[in-house]
Amino acid sequence: MARELETLWRNRAGFLGDAPGDNDVALSTRIRLARNLTRFPFPIAADAGQLEEVRQQVRAAVAAASALGEAHFSLALEQLTPEEQELLFERRLVSRELLTRETGAGLELAADETLAIMVNEEDHLRLQALRPGFRLEEAYRELSALDDQLGSILEFAFHPRLGFLTCCPTNVGTGLRASVMLHLPGLVLSQQIKQVVAAIDKLNLAVRGAFGEGTDNRGNLFQISNQSTLGESEQQILERLSSVIATLIAKEIESREELLRLRKYELLDRVGRAFGLLRYSYRLTREEALTALSAVRLGVDLGMFRQLDLRLVNELFLAIQPAHLTRCAGVAVEPPERDVIRAGLIRERLKKITGA
Amino acid sequence: MARELETLWRNRAGFLGDAPGDNDVALSTRIRLARNLTRFPFPIAADAGQLEEVRQQVRAAVAAASALGEAHFSLALEQLTPEEQELLFERRLVSRELLTRETGAGLELAADETLAIMVNEEDHLRLQALRPGFRLEEAYRELSALDDQLGSILEFAFHPRLGFLTCCPTNVGTGLRASVMLHLPGLVLSQQIKQVVAAIDKLNLAVRGAFGEGTDNRGNLFQISNQSTLGESEQQILERLSSVIATLIAKEIESREELLRLRKYELLDRVGRAFGLLRYSYRLTREEALTALSAVRLGVDLGMFRQLDLRLVNELFLAIQPAHLTRCAGVAVEPPERDVIRAGLIRERLKKITGA
């Protein structure tokens, strides 16, 4: 399996996009649809034989459909090494929940990582589209095409009044969850972020830190997503989310401009120090690296770096994660050495960039 | 006066030397001799007329002697601007005590800053020799020649049993205080410095931080000097100090080697981060700059920088002081802006140095 997946690890990860011309604030857009097959119990209640049967049916349907492309991956997770599983997790292609299922867990994956299906996670199918930047419509169009193709082959559990049936009641209806990952250092630095998070909560949307759980916001990356799947059409959900995201982006840009006006040297200093840390340190924890990368990303957005582009910064956000570092080092590395390898990797990638 | 002194500010300062081939640990050597004229009360008890008379006599004697060179400066401190006074202080050519004297304070100074005489400080004359590196003998030879020349012209207060008479009893006898400035980051990092300071105390030698008072050791710079001036000859004082300094240098080098062996990445990381901070920050306090310069100096000593030499690091130790910064900026700058200017100056000086 390792050799087959090598092409995947060499990919840019879909979740950290940098489509040219895109807004700097929005990193990526992700939408998922929860679907289940009739005649099978939900994964939580299914036995090994039923899970395997579901996985086979999904695999056959994907092979027959064209949406994932010919060169797609069709993975049985129990055949992967723990390292390969972690790499998929760090690339946001599988969830912790999928990884903990002992048998029957699968992943159908387009070679460019923009479309994926988790099989036998909480639901039989979790269809996902990932796009760089702020592209809800485009992502939904693509995901919807995949959904239509699979729905014509497989029999999805659907209730005329409730909509799509899902394992957890919070997903019943559209089964749709859309999220946009935003980089909000301006709102964090100007201490407006708490207020913003509270406002988003009231709109029945969710905010999560991009790394780790809960309100953790290392890297100043935030995922904004819809909470409810019932009572609104797919289009209504996306439009409501879209309008909030657009407002947030405008607020972030406004706060950056104000910071540049009122606290210019503080801002330059923060970015400069972060770059100096990444460029010259010999030991870096993941937290330090994320925080510094966030500041440098802001610097790139503000035009402080001539030689540095978002592409490289985004690659580093991924490359410094533990499993990616281990792959890069060629041997399993544990925390104290990992920090040394992390710093070495970043120094190497930044060594040609001299000026701020 | 400003124009005449311009040539002085452009000098390298004598107290931060970098004579090639010298030991990295010892930055500079300084010796001073306290001398007083017969027939005049000590400055503390002298009136303005007497102070002026002393200054004139010293000036005339220096002009007649050859030791300070033809192009020496002969300064009446009350004719200098406060900025010029501060510059002299930061270059370690005058003391705070001399600057607070309202009339009669003078400075006779060799153009290269290696020899100087403070006039009407605590004593009528404080002869000083400054040399880069660890050069007690050479400094004493030079200072002694100046002392002999002046002593043949002026009548120094001398008691056949006690030796040279001085205002403060702690200087009676030789009137000699010799000090060597050492850079001891290895002993600080390996937490041996407290022990070392205690041992030096027991030997009746004094340890002071190079910047500020007392035990403050910003920049990991320490001045080691003799405490007593009575009961030992000049040669005995210098030999005793010399042997302790040699031991300290050996201990420092040993501790660096041990750190490199046992805590290599911690050491590299400390140096790298310090360099990154100096190279890319936009606001730097004096404390941060001193600490970072100390770490970078250690890195230069350890051979981490191909493009960076001690000369530049030593220049920066001086250039980041408030009065030197103000001179550099061309206008008086106060703390918040001063930190911005300090960081800008350091960035500018280091901008061509890319690799660690």
Side-chain angles (χ1 to χ4, degrees):
Chain A
M1 185 60 72
R3 185 166 298 182
E4 187 190 333
L5 287 174
E6 273 307 309
T7 61
L8 187 59
W9 312 142
R10 279 199 289 272
N11 262 354
R12 316 268 345 281
F15 86 99
L16 284 166
D18 46 22
D22 251 31
N23 199 299
D24 300 330
V25 176
L27 274 80
S28 59
T29 298
R30 175 213 287 267
I31 309 183
R32 64 100 166 129
L33 295 170
R35 297 292 182 258
N36 287 278
L37 302 187
T38 55
R39 296 184 299 118
F40 288 97
F42 289 130
I44 198 172
D47 62 32
Q50 290 169 320
L51 291 171
E52 186 56 41
E53 175 69 21
V54 168
R55 186 160 68 178
Q56 290 305 333
Q57 287 203 10
V58 173
R59 179 173 288 184
V62 168
S66 62
L68 284 193
E70 276 201 18
H72 72 273
F73 293 92
S74 192
L75 306 173
L77 291 197
E78 70 271 21
Q79 290 173 13
L80 302 184
T81 65
E83 290 74 27
E84 288 167 338
Q85 295 185 7
E86 278 301 306
L87 284 166
L88 291 175
F89 176 75
E90 288 178 0
R91 297 174 91 83
R92 321 233 148 187
L93 297 169
V94 300
S95 63
R96 275 273 165 254
E97 191 162 352
L98 188 71
L99 291 182
T100 52
R101 186 168 307 287
E102 286 178 13
T103 62
L107 179 69
E108 304 290 319
L109 178 64
D112 66 359
E113 301 181 43
T114 57
L115 278 175
I117 305 165
M118 285 195 284
V119 183
N120 289 325
E121 205 243 23
E122 189 178 284
D123 297 295
H124 292 144
L125 293 91
R126 283 281 176 99
L127 286 61
Q128 308 176 78
L130 281 162
R131 307 295 298 169
F134 174 29
R135 300 184 173 181
L136 282 167
E137 269 186 55
E138 184 182 321
Y140 184 67
R141 207 163 47 236
E142 212 178 334
L143 193 60
S144 200
L146 175 65
D147 183 38
D148 290 346
Q149 286 189 352
L150 296 181
S152 70
I153 301 169
L154 300 165
E155 197 175 311
F156 287 154
F158 184 83
H159 182 281
R161 193 165 53 81
L162 293 173
F164 290 99
L165 299 179
T166 56
C167 177
C168 177
T170 59
N171 290 316
V172 167
T174 58
L176 180 146
R177 179 140 299 151
S179 69
V180 178
M181 196 189 290
L182 298 178
H183 185 228
L184 304 176
L187 292 173
V188 172
L189 277 176
S190 60
Q191 300 181 300
Q192 295 177 68
I193 195 72
K194 270 193 182 171
Q195 208 177 317
V196 165
V197 168
I200 293 172
D201 266 351
K202 277 191 194 152
L203 293 168
N204 204 22
L205 296 174
V207 188
R208 286 205 332 157
F211 295 94
E213 294 301 312
T215 54
D216 183 351
N217 64 341
R218 283 175 289 185
N220 296 319
L221 294 176
F222 298 83
Q223 288 182 83
I224 321 293
S225 61
N226 63 310
Q227 292 263 44
S228 65
T229 53
L230 201 60
E232 285 177 302
S233 72
E234 286 84 349
Q235 280 311 326
Q236 284 171 321
I237 292 171
L238 294 177
E239 274 165 25
R240 201 158 63 82
L241 180 64
S242 196
S243 124
V244 171
I245 297 287
T247 307
L248 276 175
I249 290 174
K251 268 193 179 307
E252 168 65 19
I253 289 173
E254 198 180 293
S255 74
R256 291 179 185 184
E257 282 164 0
E258 191 170 299
L259 283 170
L260 258 184
R261 209 167 51 241
L262 302 178
R263 293 157 67 184
K264 181 178 168 192
Y265 283 104
E266 182 187 338
L267 203 61
L268 293 179
D269 189 52
R270 190 177 280 261
V271 174
R273 282 172 189 237
F275 184 71
L277 186 75
L278 294 173
R279 177 91 166 70
Y280 290 108
S281 70
Y282 280 77
R283 292 197 310 196
L284 270 180
T285 66
R286 182 162 166 269
E287 287 63 35
E288 282 181 306
L290 288 174
T291 304
L293 281 171
S294 165
V296 167
R297 193 179 206 281
L298 174 62
V300 172
D301 294 350
L302 297 175
M304 278 177 69
F305 299 95
R306 261 174 308 166
Q307 303 161 297
L308 188 59
D309 59 16
L310 284 185
R311 188 183 178 84
L312 177 55
V313 178
N314 286 343
E315 278 176 7
L316 286 175
F317 266 110
L318 182 67
I320 61 163
Q321 308 300 324
H324 278 79
L325 271 184
T326 289
R327 191 184 92 80
C328 184
V331 289
V333 282
E334 291 307 313
E337 292 77 32
R338 195 188 280 158
D339 292 349
V340 172
I341 289 173
R342 179 179 288 117
L345 173 92
I346 297 175
R347 278 203 318 280
E348 179 61 28
R349 297 278 187 97
L350 295 181
K351 79 177 173 193
K352 283 187 185 139
I353 292 149
T354 57
Chain B
M1 186 59 72
R3 185 166 300 186
E4 186 189 335
L5 287 174
E6 273 307 309
T7 61
L8 188 59
W9 312 143
R10 279 198 291 271
N11 263 355
R12 317 274 340 282
F15 85 101
L16 284 167
D18 46 22
D22 252 30
N23 198 300
D24 300 330
V25 177
L27 273 81
S28 59
T29 298
R30 175 211 288 267
I31 308 184
R32 65 103 165 124
L33 294 170
R35 298 290 183 258
N36 287 278
L37 302 186
T38 55
R39 294 182 301 120
F40 288 97
F42 290 129
I44 197 172
D47 62 31
Q50 291 167 318
L51 290 171
E52 186 56 40
E53 175 69 21
V54 168
R55 187 160 64 177
Q56 291 305 331
Q57 288 203 11
V58 173
R59 181 173 288 185
V62 167
S66 62
L68 283 193
E70 276 201 18
H72 73 272
F73 294 91
S74 191
L75 308 172
L77 291 197
E78 70 270 19
Q79 291 173 13
L80 303 183
T81 65
E83 290 73 26
E84 289 167 337
Q85 294 185 6
E86 278 301 306
L87 284 166
L88 291 175
F89 177 75
E90 289 179 0
R91 297 174 91 83
R92 318 232 148 188
L93 297 169
V94 300
S95 63
R96 274 275 165 251
E97 193 162 351
L98 188 72
L99 291 181
T100 52
R101 185 169 305 287
E102 287 179 13
T103 62
L107 178 70
E108 304 292 319
L109 178 64
D112 65 359
E113 299 180 48
T114 57
L115 279 174
I117 305 165
M118 286 196 284
V119 183
N120 289 325
E121 205 241 26
E122 188 178 283
D123 297 294
H124 293 144
L125 295 91
R126 283 282 176 99
L127 287 60
Q128 309 176 76
L130 282 162
R131 307 295 297 168
F134 173 30
R135 301 184 172 180
L136 282 167
E137 269 186 55
E138 184 183 322
Y140 183 67
R141 209 164 44 235
E142 211 176 335
L143 192 60
S144 198
L146 176 64
D147 184 38
D148 291 345
Q149 285 190 352
L150 297 181
S152 70
I153 302 168
L154 300 165
E155 196 174 314
F156 289 152
F158 184 83
H159 183 279
R161 196 167 51 82
L162 293 174
F164 290 100
L165 298 179
T166 57
C167 177
C168 177
T170 59
N171 291 317
V172 167
T174 58
L176 181 146
R177 180 141 299 152
S179 69
V180 178
M181 195 189 290
L182 298 178
H183 185 228
L184 304 176
L187 292 172
V188 171
L189 278 176
S190 59
Q191 299 183 302
Q192 295 177 67
I193 195 72
K194 271 193 181 171
Q195 207 177 319
V196 164
V197 168
I200 293 172
D201 267 350
K202 278 192 194 152
L203 293 169
N204 203 23
L205 297 174
V207 187
R208 284 202 338 157
F211 296 95
E213 293 301 311
T215 55
D216 183 351
N217 64 342
R218 284 175 288 187
N220 296 319
L221 294 177
F222 297 85
Q223 288 182 83
I224 320 293
S225 63
N226 63 308
Q227 291 265 43
S228 66
T229 54
L230 201 59
E232 284 179 302
S233 73
E234 288 86 347
Q235 280 310 326
Q236 284 171 321
I237 292 171
L238 296 177
E239 273 165 28
R240 203 159 61 84
L241 180 64
S242 195
S243 125
V244 171
I245 298 286
T247 306
L248 277 174
I249 291 175
K251 268 194 181 303
E252 168 65 18
I253 289 174
E254 198 180 295
S255 75
R256 290 180 186 183
E257 282 164 3
E258 191 170 300
L259 284 168
L260 259 184
R261 211 168 50 242
L262 303 177
R263 292 156 68 185
K264 182 178 167 189
Y265 283 104
E266 181 186 337
L267 203 61
L268 294 178
D269 188 53
R270 189 176 281 261
V271 174
R273 282 172 188 234
F275 183 72
L277 185 75
L278 295 172
R279 177 91 167 71
Y280 290 107
S281 70
Y282 280 76
R283 290 199 310 195
L284 270 180
T285 66
R286 182 161 167 272
E287 286 64 34
E288 283 180 307
L290 287 176
T291 303
L293 282 171
S294 165
V296 167
R297 193 178 206 279
L298 175 62
V300 173
D301 293 351
L302 297 176
M304 279 177 70
F305 299 95
R306 261 171 310 167
Q307 303 160 297
L308 189 59
D309 59 17
L310 284 185
R311 189 181 177 86
L312 177 54
V313 178
N314 285 343
E315 277 176 10
L316 287 174
F317 265 110
L318 182 67
I320 62 164
Q321 308 298 324
H324 278 79
L325 273 183
T326 289
R327 191 185 93 81
C328 183
V331 291
V333 282
E334 291 308 313
E337 292 78 31
R338 194 188 280 159
D339 292 349
V340 171
I341 288 173
R342 180 178 289 118
L345 172 92
I346 297 176
R347 278 204 317 281
E348 180 61 28
R349 296 280 186 98
L350 295 182
K351 80 176 173 196
K352 284 188 183 138
I353 291 149
T354 55

